[in-house]
Short mmCIF file of all heavy atoms in Angstrom, two decimals:
data_model
loop_
_atom_site.label_atom_id
_atom_site.label_comp_id
_atom_site.label_asym_id
_atom_site.label_seq_id
_atom_site.Cartn_x
_atom_site.Cartn_y
_atom_site.Cartn_z
N PRO A 8 -5.23 -10.65 1.73
CA PRO A 8 -4.82 -9.86 2.85
C PRO A 8 -3.59 -10.43 3.51
O PRO A 8 -3.20 -11.55 3.18
CB PRO A 8 -6.03 -10.04 3.82
CG PRO A 8 -6.72 -11.25 3.36
CD PRO A 8 -6.49 -11.34 1.92
N PRO A 9 -2.95 -9.72 4.43
CA PRO A 9 -1.80 -10.23 5.16
C PRO A 9 -2.18 -11.51 5.84
O PRO A 9 -3.24 -11.60 6.54
CB PRO A 9 -1.58 -9.16 6.23
CG PRO A 9 -2.37 -7.98 5.88
CD PRO A 9 -3.35 -8.30 4.89
N GLY A 10 -1.36 -12.51 5.70
CA GLY A 10 -1.64 -13.78 6.34
C GLY A 10 -2.52 -14.69 5.48
O GLY A 10 -2.83 -15.86 5.99
N ALA A 11 -2.93 -14.30 4.31
CA ALA A 11 -3.83 -15.20 3.51
C ALA A 11 -3.11 -16.44 3.08
O ALA A 11 -3.69 -17.38 2.74
CB ALA A 11 -4.32 -14.37 2.30
N GLY A 12 -1.78 -16.33 3.02
CA GLY A 12 -0.97 -17.46 2.53
C GLY A 12 -0.35 -17.26 1.14
O GLY A 12 0.06 -18.23 0.49
N LYS A 13 -0.17 -16.03 0.77
CA LYS A 13 0.46 -15.67 -0.60
C LYS A 13 1.81 -16.27 -0.65
O LYS A 13 2.18 -16.93 -1.60
CB LYS A 13 0.47 -14.19 -0.77
CG LYS A 13 -0.89 -13.48 -0.74
CD LYS A 13 -0.84 -11.99 -0.99
CE LYS A 13 -0.05 -11.23 0.04
NZ LYS A 13 -0.67 -11.19 1.42
N GLY A 14 2.63 -15.96 0.38
CA GLY A 14 4.04 -16.41 0.35
C GLY A 14 4.09 -17.93 0.40
O GLY A 14 4.87 -18.57 -0.29
N THR A 15 3.27 -18.54 1.24
CA THR A 15 3.29 -20.04 1.35
C THR A 15 2.89 -20.66 0.01
O THR A 15 3.51 -21.63 -0.38
CB THR A 15 2.14 -20.44 2.38
OG1 THR A 15 2.51 -19.78 3.64
CG2 THR A 15 2.05 -21.93 2.62
N GLN A 16 1.92 -20.13 -0.67
CA GLN A 16 1.49 -20.72 -1.97
C GLN A 16 2.53 -20.41 -3.07
O GLN A 16 2.80 -21.19 -3.92
CB GLN A 16 0.11 -20.21 -2.34
CG GLN A 16 -0.97 -20.70 -1.42
CD GLN A 16 -1.07 -22.20 -1.27
OE1 GLN A 16 -0.82 -22.93 -2.29
NE2 GLN A 16 -1.33 -22.68 -0.06
N ALA A 17 3.11 -19.26 -2.98
CA ALA A 17 4.16 -18.85 -4.00
C ALA A 17 5.25 -19.86 -3.98
O ALA A 17 5.69 -20.33 -5.02
CB ALA A 17 4.63 -17.39 -3.73
N LYS A 18 5.70 -20.24 -2.80
CA LYS A 18 6.82 -21.19 -2.68
C LYS A 18 6.45 -22.55 -3.36
O LYS A 18 7.30 -23.24 -3.98
CB LYS A 18 7.17 -21.45 -1.24
CG LYS A 18 7.78 -20.25 -0.58
CD LYS A 18 9.24 -20.00 -0.95
CE LYS A 18 9.87 -18.76 -0.31
NZ LYS A 18 9.39 -17.44 -0.87
N LYS A 19 5.21 -22.93 -3.30
CA LYS A 19 4.76 -24.18 -3.90
C LYS A 19 4.57 -24.00 -5.40
O LYS A 19 4.90 -24.89 -6.20
CB LYS A 19 3.38 -24.64 -3.28
CG LYS A 19 3.48 -25.08 -1.81
CD LYS A 19 2.06 -25.24 -1.28
CE LYS A 19 2.01 -25.80 0.13
NZ LYS A 19 2.38 -27.24 0.15
N LEU A 20 4.09 -22.77 -5.82
CA LEU A 20 3.76 -22.59 -7.25
C LEU A 20 4.97 -22.41 -8.09
O LEU A 20 4.85 -22.73 -9.29
CB LEU A 20 2.78 -21.41 -7.38
CG LEU A 20 1.36 -21.69 -6.92
CD1 LEU A 20 0.59 -20.35 -6.71
CD2 LEU A 20 0.63 -22.57 -7.91
N ILE A 21 6.05 -21.89 -7.54
CA ILE A 21 7.19 -21.68 -8.49
C ILE A 21 7.66 -22.89 -9.18
O ILE A 21 8.05 -22.82 -10.34
CB ILE A 21 8.34 -20.91 -7.73
CG1 ILE A 21 8.73 -21.52 -6.44
CG2 ILE A 21 8.16 -19.39 -7.61
CD1 ILE A 21 9.90 -20.83 -5.78
N ASN A 22 7.62 -24.07 -8.43
CA ASN A 22 8.06 -25.32 -9.15
C ASN A 22 6.98 -25.72 -10.15
O ASN A 22 7.31 -26.06 -11.30
CB ASN A 22 8.19 -26.41 -8.07
CG ASN A 22 9.37 -26.13 -7.25
OD1 ASN A 22 10.32 -25.56 -7.63
ND2 ASN A 22 9.28 -26.53 -5.92
N GLU A 23 5.77 -25.66 -9.73
CA GLU A 23 4.68 -26.10 -10.57
C GLU A 23 4.66 -25.39 -11.89
O GLU A 23 4.44 -25.86 -12.99
CB GLU A 23 3.34 -25.96 -9.83
CG GLU A 23 2.08 -26.48 -10.50
CD GLU A 23 2.04 -28.01 -10.51
OE1 GLU A 23 2.66 -28.64 -9.57
OE2 GLU A 23 1.42 -28.60 -11.39
N LEU A 24 4.86 -24.08 -11.81
CA LEU A 24 4.74 -23.20 -12.97
C LEU A 24 6.06 -22.81 -13.69
O LEU A 24 6.04 -22.01 -14.61
CB LEU A 24 4.02 -21.87 -12.55
CG LEU A 24 2.67 -21.99 -11.88
CD1 LEU A 24 2.18 -20.61 -11.41
CD2 LEU A 24 1.63 -22.55 -12.92
N ASP A 25 7.14 -23.31 -13.08
CA ASP A 25 8.46 -22.85 -13.57
C ASP A 25 8.54 -21.34 -13.56
O ASP A 25 8.80 -20.72 -14.57
CB ASP A 25 8.77 -23.47 -14.96
CG ASP A 25 10.24 -23.22 -15.30
OD1 ASP A 25 11.03 -23.08 -14.40
OD2 ASP A 25 10.56 -23.20 -16.47
N ALA A 26 8.21 -20.82 -12.39
CA ALA A 26 8.08 -19.38 -12.27
C ALA A 26 9.14 -18.75 -11.32
O ALA A 26 9.72 -19.44 -10.54
CB ALA A 26 6.67 -19.08 -11.73
N VAL A 27 9.24 -17.39 -11.49
CA VAL A 27 10.12 -16.65 -10.57
C VAL A 27 9.15 -15.91 -9.67
O VAL A 27 8.27 -15.15 -10.18
CB VAL A 27 11.05 -15.72 -11.35
CG1 VAL A 27 11.79 -14.81 -10.45
CG2 VAL A 27 11.94 -16.53 -12.28
N GLN A 28 9.36 -15.98 -8.37
CA GLN A 28 8.51 -15.23 -7.43
C GLN A 28 9.15 -13.84 -7.28
O GLN A 28 10.33 -13.67 -6.92
CB GLN A 28 8.46 -15.94 -6.06
CG GLN A 28 7.75 -15.25 -4.96
CD GLN A 28 7.97 -15.81 -3.54
OE1 GLN A 28 8.78 -16.71 -3.43
NE2 GLN A 28 7.23 -15.35 -2.64
N ILE A 29 8.30 -12.88 -7.41
CA ILE A 29 8.77 -11.45 -7.09
C ILE A 29 7.83 -10.99 -5.90
O ILE A 29 6.61 -10.69 -6.10
CB ILE A 29 8.59 -10.56 -8.34
CG1 ILE A 29 9.49 -11.12 -9.41
CG2 ILE A 29 8.94 -9.13 -7.94
CD1 ILE A 29 9.46 -10.38 -10.72
N ALA A 30 8.43 -10.95 -4.75
CA ALA A 30 7.67 -10.59 -3.52
C ALA A 30 8.12 -9.25 -3.04
O ALA A 30 9.31 -9.14 -2.51
CB ALA A 30 7.80 -11.64 -2.46
N THR A 31 7.35 -8.18 -3.14
CA THR A 31 7.77 -6.86 -2.82
C THR A 31 8.18 -6.75 -1.34
O THR A 31 9.15 -6.11 -0.97
CB THR A 31 6.73 -5.79 -3.14
OG1 THR A 31 5.47 -6.37 -2.94
CG2 THR A 31 6.91 -5.40 -4.60
N GLY A 32 7.41 -7.46 -0.44
CA GLY A 32 7.67 -7.42 0.99
C GLY A 32 9.06 -7.98 1.20
O GLY A 32 9.84 -7.45 2.01
N ASP A 33 9.40 -9.16 0.60
CA ASP A 33 10.72 -9.78 0.78
C ASP A 33 11.86 -8.83 0.27
O ASP A 33 12.90 -8.76 0.87
CB ASP A 33 10.84 -11.10 -0.03
CG ASP A 33 10.00 -12.17 0.59
OD1 ASP A 33 9.47 -12.03 1.75
OD2 ASP A 33 9.77 -13.25 -0.05
N ILE A 34 11.53 -8.17 -0.83
CA ILE A 34 12.57 -7.30 -1.37
C ILE A 34 12.88 -6.10 -0.39
O ILE A 34 13.98 -5.75 -0.10
CB ILE A 34 12.24 -6.72 -2.74
CG1 ILE A 34 12.07 -7.85 -3.79
CG2 ILE A 34 13.26 -5.72 -3.27
CD1 ILE A 34 11.53 -7.53 -5.14
N PHE A 35 11.80 -5.52 0.21
CA PHE A 35 11.94 -4.47 1.15
C PHE A 35 12.69 -4.99 2.37
O PHE A 35 13.58 -4.33 2.90
CB PHE A 35 10.59 -3.88 1.55
CG PHE A 35 9.92 -3.03 0.55
CD1 PHE A 35 8.62 -3.20 0.21
CD2 PHE A 35 10.62 -2.04 -0.13
CE1 PHE A 35 8.01 -2.47 -0.77
CE2 PHE A 35 10.02 -1.21 -1.07
CZ PHE A 35 8.69 -1.42 -1.41
N ARG A 36 12.26 -6.16 2.83
CA ARG A 36 12.96 -6.69 4.06
C ARG A 36 14.47 -6.96 3.85
O ARG A 36 15.30 -6.67 4.71
CB ARG A 36 12.27 -7.96 4.52
CG ARG A 36 10.98 -7.63 5.37
CD ARG A 36 10.36 -8.90 5.96
NE ARG A 36 9.74 -9.79 4.96
CZ ARG A 36 8.57 -9.62 4.45
NH1 ARG A 36 7.81 -8.56 4.82
NH2 ARG A 36 8.14 -10.41 3.52
N TYR A 37 14.81 -7.43 2.69
CA TYR A 37 16.22 -7.64 2.33
C TYR A 37 16.96 -6.30 2.33
O TYR A 37 18.08 -6.24 2.89
CB TYR A 37 16.27 -8.26 0.87
CG TYR A 37 17.65 -8.38 0.34
CD1 TYR A 37 18.43 -9.51 0.65
CD2 TYR A 37 18.24 -7.36 -0.44
CE1 TYR A 37 19.71 -9.59 0.20
CE2 TYR A 37 19.51 -7.46 -0.88
CZ TYR A 37 20.33 -8.58 -0.61
OH TYR A 37 21.56 -8.68 -1.03
N ASN A 38 16.37 -5.26 1.82
CA ASN A 38 16.97 -3.93 1.73
C ASN A 38 17.09 -3.35 3.18
O ASN A 38 18.09 -2.62 3.49
CB ASN A 38 16.21 -3.00 0.82
CG ASN A 38 16.61 -3.26 -0.62
OD1 ASN A 38 17.72 -2.76 -1.10
ND2 ASN A 38 15.94 -4.11 -1.28
N ILE A 39 16.11 -3.60 3.99
CA ILE A 39 16.17 -3.10 5.39
C ILE A 39 17.29 -3.82 6.08
O ILE A 39 18.13 -3.12 6.77
CB ILE A 39 14.84 -3.30 6.12
CG1 ILE A 39 13.75 -2.35 5.50
CG2 ILE A 39 14.91 -3.04 7.59
CD1 ILE A 39 12.31 -2.64 5.95
N LYS A 40 17.37 -5.10 5.94
CA LYS A 40 18.42 -5.87 6.67
C LYS A 40 19.79 -5.39 6.22
O LYS A 40 20.73 -5.34 7.02
CB LYS A 40 18.23 -7.38 6.29
CG LYS A 40 19.04 -8.28 7.12
CD LYS A 40 18.67 -9.73 6.83
CE LYS A 40 19.74 -10.65 7.39
NZ LYS A 40 19.90 -11.89 6.65
N ASN A 41 19.93 -5.09 4.96
CA ASN A 41 21.24 -4.66 4.42
C ASN A 41 21.46 -3.16 4.50
O ASN A 41 22.50 -2.62 4.01
CB ASN A 41 21.40 -5.17 3.06
CG ASN A 41 21.62 -6.77 3.05
OD1 ASN A 41 22.65 -7.26 3.50
ND2 ASN A 41 20.58 -7.42 2.64
N GLU A 42 20.50 -2.49 5.18
CA GLU A 42 20.64 -1.03 5.38
C GLU A 42 20.92 -0.19 4.05
O GLU A 42 21.78 0.63 4.05
CB GLU A 42 21.70 -0.71 6.46
CG GLU A 42 21.26 -1.33 7.76
CD GLU A 42 22.22 -1.04 8.89
OE1 GLU A 42 23.30 -0.51 8.65
OE2 GLU A 42 21.80 -1.35 10.05
N THR A 43 20.25 -0.59 3.02
CA THR A 43 20.44 0.19 1.75
C THR A 43 19.63 1.45 1.82
O THR A 43 18.81 1.58 2.75
CB THR A 43 19.96 -0.70 0.54
OG1 THR A 43 18.50 -0.79 0.66
CG2 THR A 43 20.60 -2.02 0.45
N GLU A 44 19.78 2.31 0.83
CA GLU A 44 19.04 3.58 0.79
C GLU A 44 17.53 3.26 0.78
O GLU A 44 16.74 3.82 1.45
CB GLU A 44 19.46 4.39 -0.43
CG GLU A 44 20.66 5.30 -0.16
CD GLU A 44 20.56 6.10 1.11
OE1 GLU A 44 19.63 6.85 1.26
OE2 GLU A 44 21.48 5.87 1.97
N LEU A 45 17.17 2.27 -0.15
CA LEU A 45 15.78 1.93 -0.30
C LEU A 45 15.29 1.34 1.05
O LEU A 45 14.14 1.73 1.50
CB LEU A 45 15.64 0.79 -1.32
CG LEU A 45 14.22 0.17 -1.46
CD1 LEU A 45 13.17 1.17 -1.94
CD2 LEU A 45 14.25 -1.03 -2.45
N GLY A 46 16.06 0.56 1.77
CA GLY A 46 15.68 -0.01 3.02
C GLY A 46 15.46 1.04 4.01
O GLY A 46 14.46 0.98 4.79
N LYS A 47 16.33 2.07 4.04
CA LYS A 47 16.15 3.20 5.06
C LYS A 47 14.87 3.93 4.77
O LYS A 47 14.13 4.30 5.75
CB LYS A 47 17.30 4.09 4.96
CG LYS A 47 18.54 3.52 5.63
CD LYS A 47 19.75 4.45 5.53
CE LYS A 47 21.06 3.74 5.74
NZ LYS A 47 22.25 4.35 5.14
N LYS A 48 14.51 4.14 3.45
CA LYS A 48 13.37 4.88 3.20
C LYS A 48 12.04 4.03 3.45
O LYS A 48 11.03 4.58 3.90
CB LYS A 48 13.33 5.23 1.68
CG LYS A 48 14.32 6.37 1.37
CD LYS A 48 14.25 6.72 -0.12
CE LYS A 48 15.37 7.67 -0.47
NZ LYS A 48 15.72 7.64 -1.92
N ALA A 49 12.13 2.72 3.19
CA ALA A 49 10.96 1.84 3.30
C ALA A 49 10.62 1.51 4.80
O ALA A 49 9.45 1.24 5.14
CB ALA A 49 11.14 0.62 2.52
N LYS A 50 11.63 1.55 5.65
CA LYS A 50 11.50 0.91 7.01
C LYS A 50 10.34 1.51 7.84
O LYS A 50 9.53 0.82 8.36
CB LYS A 50 12.81 1.08 7.78
CG LYS A 50 12.76 0.33 9.08
CD LYS A 50 14.14 0.36 9.73
CE LYS A 50 14.23 -0.45 11.03
NZ LYS A 50 13.05 -0.55 11.86
N SER A 51 10.22 2.85 7.83
CA SER A 51 9.24 3.44 8.73
C SER A 51 7.81 3.09 8.29
O SER A 51 6.91 2.85 9.03
CB SER A 51 9.39 4.98 8.78
OG SER A 51 9.22 5.45 7.51
N TYR A 52 7.61 2.97 6.91
CA TYR A 52 6.27 2.64 6.43
C TYR A 52 5.90 1.13 6.86
O TYR A 52 4.83 0.91 7.32
CB TYR A 52 6.23 2.73 4.90
CG TYR A 52 6.46 4.15 4.39
CD1 TYR A 52 7.75 4.56 3.98
CD2 TYR A 52 5.45 5.05 4.37
CE1 TYR A 52 7.95 5.86 3.53
CE2 TYR A 52 5.59 6.38 3.99
CZ TYR A 52 6.92 6.72 3.51
OH TYR A 52 7.07 7.99 3.09
N ILE A 53 6.91 0.25 6.65
CA ILE A 53 6.68 -1.14 6.94
C ILE A 53 6.38 -1.28 8.39
O ILE A 53 5.47 -2.03 8.86
CB ILE A 53 7.86 -1.99 6.41
CG1 ILE A 53 7.76 -1.93 4.89
CG2 ILE A 53 7.74 -3.39 6.95
CD1 ILE A 53 8.79 -2.81 4.18
N ASP A 54 7.21 -0.66 9.19
CA ASP A 54 7.08 -0.75 10.68
C ASP A 54 5.68 -0.30 11.15
O ASP A 54 5.21 -0.77 12.16
CB ASP A 54 8.22 0.03 11.41
CG ASP A 54 9.46 -0.81 11.40
OD1 ASP A 54 9.45 -1.99 11.03
OD2 ASP A 54 10.56 -0.25 11.79
N GLU A 55 5.14 0.62 10.43
CA GLU A 55 3.78 1.12 10.85
C GLU A 55 2.65 0.36 10.17
O GLU A 55 1.50 0.72 10.37
CB GLU A 55 3.65 2.63 10.53
CG GLU A 55 4.46 3.54 11.49
CD GLU A 55 4.37 4.98 11.05
OE1 GLU A 55 3.22 5.43 10.75
OE2 GLU A 55 5.42 5.68 11.00
N GLY A 56 3.07 -0.57 9.26
CA GLY A 56 2.00 -1.31 8.60
C GLY A 56 1.35 -0.59 7.46
O GLY A 56 0.26 -0.93 6.97
#
Side-chain angles (χ1 to χ4, degrees):
K13 301 180 297 294
T15 300
Q16 295 303 322
K18 292 284 177 287
K19 292 170 173 286
L20 284 165
I21 46 178
N22 293 328
E23 185 73 26
L24 303 173
D25 190 22
V27 174
Q28 177 192 7
I29 297 175
T31 37
D33 288 350
I34 298 174
F35 287 132
R36 281 185 288 279
Y37 173 86
N38 278 277
I39 290 171
K40 190 174 168 209
N41 289 289
E42 298 182 349
T43 66
E44 276 312 302
L45 173 65
K47 284 178 199 159
K48 287 181 188 157
K50 188 172 183 328
S51 61
Y52 297 98
I53 293 186
D54 281 349
E55 286 177 45

